[in-house]
Amino acid sequence: MKIDWQAFRRARVARDVRFDGKFFVGAHSTRIYCRPSCPVPTIPDKNVRYFPSAAAAAEAGFRPCLRCRPECSPGTPAWLGTSRTVSRALRLIAESGLEDGGVEGLAERLGVGSRHLRRLFVKHLGATPSAVAQTRRLHFAKKLIDETALPMNQVAIASGFGCVRRFNATIHKTYHRTPTHIRRLARQRVVQPENQYLFRLRFRSPYDWKGMLAFLAPRATPGVETVENGVYRRSISLHRIDGYFEVSLDGENSGLAARVQFGDPRSLFFITERIRAMFDLNADWEAIMRGLRTDPVLVGPVEARRGLRVPGCWNGFELTTRAILGQQVTVKGATALAGRLVSNFGRRFSPANGLTHLFPLPEVLADAKLTSIGLPAARAETIRTLARAVSDGQISFEGIVDSEAFLARLCEIPGIGKWTAQYVAMRALGEPDAFPSGDLGLLRALKLRSSRELEQRAETWRPWRAYAAMYLWSIAGKSKARRTGPLSSKTPKTSLGRTASQQGVSLAV
Ligand SMILES: [Zn+2]
């Protein structure tokens, strides 16, 4: 990682919160590391050591500050300045920790040697993969101690320590205090109902929460998702346990409050990481906009909607199904179809604030008579083929290492074209450079006629084309160009050999 020491120094002296999570500050005298915005008195320069990651500080023998709680930093924008292999590895660690197979297993899944992977990690994050995984585990344990009333033996299991003794020893070694003492320091005032947890998930300001909800609200699948009074809520099911979560802006405007109702604490790490991805909390909007706001088309929308993010999704299969339902129909039409799909094929969910169902499982949709909900036969077949591929393991939306290979496989399904694939890359894989170039809404926003012209126009927005697409959709939405539909038959063939119109060109389903 290229470290700009002068910029770090300025950020540290100014206690600039925008740098939280981008680097960490260690004090030689106390051996404690902090966020740049830590309120403790500024450490003299000669006593400071900078770290590109919390794991690097931990590996150098520094302990996390109990005052500024470095574990509460907005996520490290992994894709800034790091290699693709490192970003992929971080994504896998976020999904499953280092549980299955350690560093060797991780390297194997990434198709690189473990020594090479270690070298890359040290180069970009200043720490080994095991240190990164271990720090994440520790930070999550600290979050559970501070923010929940979960019994300590459950905290140990939920944060991947395996046994209580190891958990107690690690916490004591790190913080020089027992877990119980740390919980007392956190002074939780509100007692949560059983199996309910309230997490504060920070972002790097600005964050356009209103814009996020404005995108999600018309697309909320009836029965599975609701958006009302500034709150997004949805039903979830993991390992045959059902639950739900709701997310709103926290009072201080520096993060989201996520209330999770779920019976198995072992899934809490996965759930909170998924919520972070879903709401694009790790993004560094200011850094992304440096490249985009110089474009005359984008400068207006960027200023009008500061902090716009790319909405992700809870489940890749659900999002892809939803994208297929949205081919060639309006957003409203797609939402109505999704509602019928859910009420016909989804499992019932004990009612909780407007949530009545769980999204149908691939096993159920694989053989479902989907034309009964008013879906054209071809699109029904596309969904069934996708569902079969997912249920028999040919396609998996979890643990994706190579997005391009994954998308190529997805495009082999008849009825899934480049547009759908790029939309999935954008919202399910979190690829910041994904770009559905055949999209009618995007073409309208720029008054262009073909996806080829749009692709050329979009070259300058790399590697942030997904963010540019979000801004262009906001322009298209404003001009009331809500009607969607195929491009004219003169549309040039895309690289995959199908015309855009065959792929279902839509204004962001
Ligand atoms: Zn501190």
Side-chain angles (χ1 to χ4, degrees):
M1 182 176 145
K2 224 181 110 225
I3 292 178
D4 183 348
W5 301 111
Q6 279 311 315
F8 280 8
R9 192 186 167 273
R10 282 195 299 274
R12 175 177 72 85
V13 172
R15 298 199 170 86
D16 192 332
V17 288
R18 290 171 306 171
F19 285 81
D20 281 1
K22 288 192 192 179
F23 71 93
F24 295 83
V25 184
H28 280 299
S29 50
T30 55
R31 306 296 285 173
I32 283 174
Y33 72 90
C34 289
R35 294 196 247 161
S37 66
C38 183
V40 300
T42 310
I43 320 159
D45 274 337
K46 61 175 173 28
N47 201 6
V48 169
R49 185 164 162 196
Y50 295 99
F51 297 100
S53 67
E59 228 175 19
F62 286 71
R63 299 182 290 118
C65 173
L66 279 166
R67 183 115 176 245
C68 66
R69 303 174 62 201
E71 70 274 12
C72 293
S73 308
T76 304
W79 19 261
L80 280 182
T82 51
S83 80
R84 274 182 81 85
T85 308
V86 174
S87 333
R88 284 169 180 166
L90 288 174
R91 198 156 71 194
L92 292 179
I93 292 174
E95 274 179 26
S96 66
L98 260 185
E99 285 149 22
D100 18 288
V103 184
E104 299 291 332
L106 186 65
E108 201 180 306
R109 288 175 73 187
L110 292 160
V112 297
S114 59
R115 281 177 59 186
H116 179 58
L117 186 64
R118 244 180 230 118
R119 254 200 314 273
L120 283 177
F121 262 68
V122 171
K123 183 176 165 207
H124 293 284
L125 300 169
T128 61
S130 351
V132 169
Q134 167 73 10
T135 304
R136 293 196 77 129
R137 240 193 320 261
L138 185 78
H139 281 187
F140 191 62
K142 177 72 164 36
K143 220 169 159 47
L144 292 174
I145 295 171
D146 283 346
E147 298 180 19
T148 75
L150 203 62
M152 293 305 174
N153 61 339
Q154 301 273 319
V155 174
I157 294 164
S159 49
F161 279 92
C163 70
V164 184
R165 203 187 310 150
R166 198 169 136 223
F167 162 74
N168 281 336
T170 311
I171 294 290
H172 199 266
K173 187 173 159 231
T174 309
Y175 293 100
H176 294 184
R177 284 171 176 82
T178 64
T180 321
H181 187 180
I182 294 176
R183 181 165 276 169
R184 226 177 293 133
L185 290 177
R187 285 192 220 105
Q188 290 174 47
R189 264 164 254 129
V190 188
V191 180
Q192 304 295 337
E194 200 186 354
N195 293 332
Q196 204 170 99
Y197 311 91
L198 183 62
F199 293 105
R200 279 195 69 201
L201 308 174
R202 289 192 200 230
F203 49 68
R204 202 167 272 111
S205 293
Y207 189 101
D208 182 11
W209 177 242
K210 255 168 110 177
M212 175 61 80
L213 291 185
F215 185 88
L216 294 175
R219 293 164 182 84
T221 298
V224 174
E225 297 171 290
T226 62
V227 176
E228 51 185 14
N229 305 325
V231 180
Y232 170 88
R233 187 179 297 121
R234 70 158 297 140
S235 61
I236 56 173
S237 184
L238 291 167
H239 313 296
R240 299 205 186 88
I241 296 173
D242 302 342
Y244 70 91
F245 68 78
E246 53 185 44
V247 179
S248 55
L249 198 63
D250 79 358
E252 291 166 30
N253 234 343
S254 58
L256 299 182
R259 185 180 296 282
V260 179
Q261 170 78 42
F262 201 75
D264 184 358
R266 280 175 299 183
S267 293
L268 290 175
F269 181 70
F270 176 86
I271 294 171
T272 50
E273 284 295 315
R274 188 51 60 90
I275 295 174
R276 294 196 69 88
M278 198 172 162
F279 293 95
D280 200 10
L281 296 187
N282 292 353
D284 185 353
W285 185 83
E286 291 286 358
I288 294 167
M289 290 312 129
R290 270 201 288 278
L292 295 185
R293 61 161 39 116
T294 52
D295 192 307
V297 173
L298 295 175
V299 63
V302 166
E303 283 318 310
R305 304 185 64 178
R306 292 174 52 77
L308 191 75
R309 305 295 163 111
V310 177
C313 70
W314 169 253
N315 177 285
F317 170 70
E318 179 181 321
L319 180 95
T320 311
T321 304
R322 176 63 212 232
I324 298 164
L325 290 176
Q327 292 176 351
Q328 319 256 350
V329 296
T330 57
V331 171
K332 207 171 154 195
T335 301
L337 278 172
R340 288 205 288 276
L341 184 85
V342 163
S343 62
N344 278 274
F345 306 104
R347 194 153 47 82
R348 287 202 65 90
F349 177 75
S350 48
N353 306 320
L355 307 176
T356 56
H357 285 80
L358 291 152
F359 196 82
L361 292 169
E363 296 86 285
V364 175
L365 293 185
D367 300 309
K369 286 198 174 49
L370 295 171
T371 44
S372 66
I373 62 163
L375 204 58
R379 233 159 288 151
E381 190 48 36
T382 302
I383 291 179
R384 273 194 300 267
T385 314
L386 170 73
R388 272 195 293 271
V390 173
S391 62
D392 67 19
Q394 304 235 343
I395 285 182
S396 170
F397 285 92
E398 303 301 325
I400 295 166
V401 170
D402 186 343
S403 301
E404 273 153 40
F406 172 83
L407 295 172
R409 219 162 41 243
L410 201 62
C411 284
E412 284 166 14
I413 295 175
I416 296 189
K418 198 181 169 191
W419 182 90
T420 308
Q422 287 297 309
Y423 188 70
V424 169
M426 200 174 149
R427 294 202 50 205
L429 311 187
E431 288 290 347
D433 200 33
F435 192 68
S437 59
D439 187 88
L440 193 57
L442 298 180
L443 289 165
R444 276 185 184 149
L446 289 169
K447 300 188 178 68
L448 296 175
R449 299 181 59 150
S450 75
S451 52
R452 189 176 302 163
E453 280 177 78
L454 181 57
E455 267 171 29
Q456 279 165 4
R457 182 70 179 75
E459 273 306 303
T460 55
W461 304 326
R462 283 182 186 275
W464 310 117
R465 292 185 303 173
Y467 291 85
M470 287 305 298
Y471 275 112
L472 293 174
W473 275 329
S474 77
I475 305 174
K478 253 193 205 136
S479 66
K480 299 214 186 307
R482 281 274 172 210
R483 181 81 191 97
T484 61
L487 289 168
S488 76
S489 54
K490 283 181 226 146
T491 309
K493 293 218 167 197
T494 65
S495 55
L496 285 159
R498 293 176 208 165
T499 65
S501 60
Q502 280 170 317
Q503 293 173 32
V505 183
S506 170
L507 183 71
V509 286

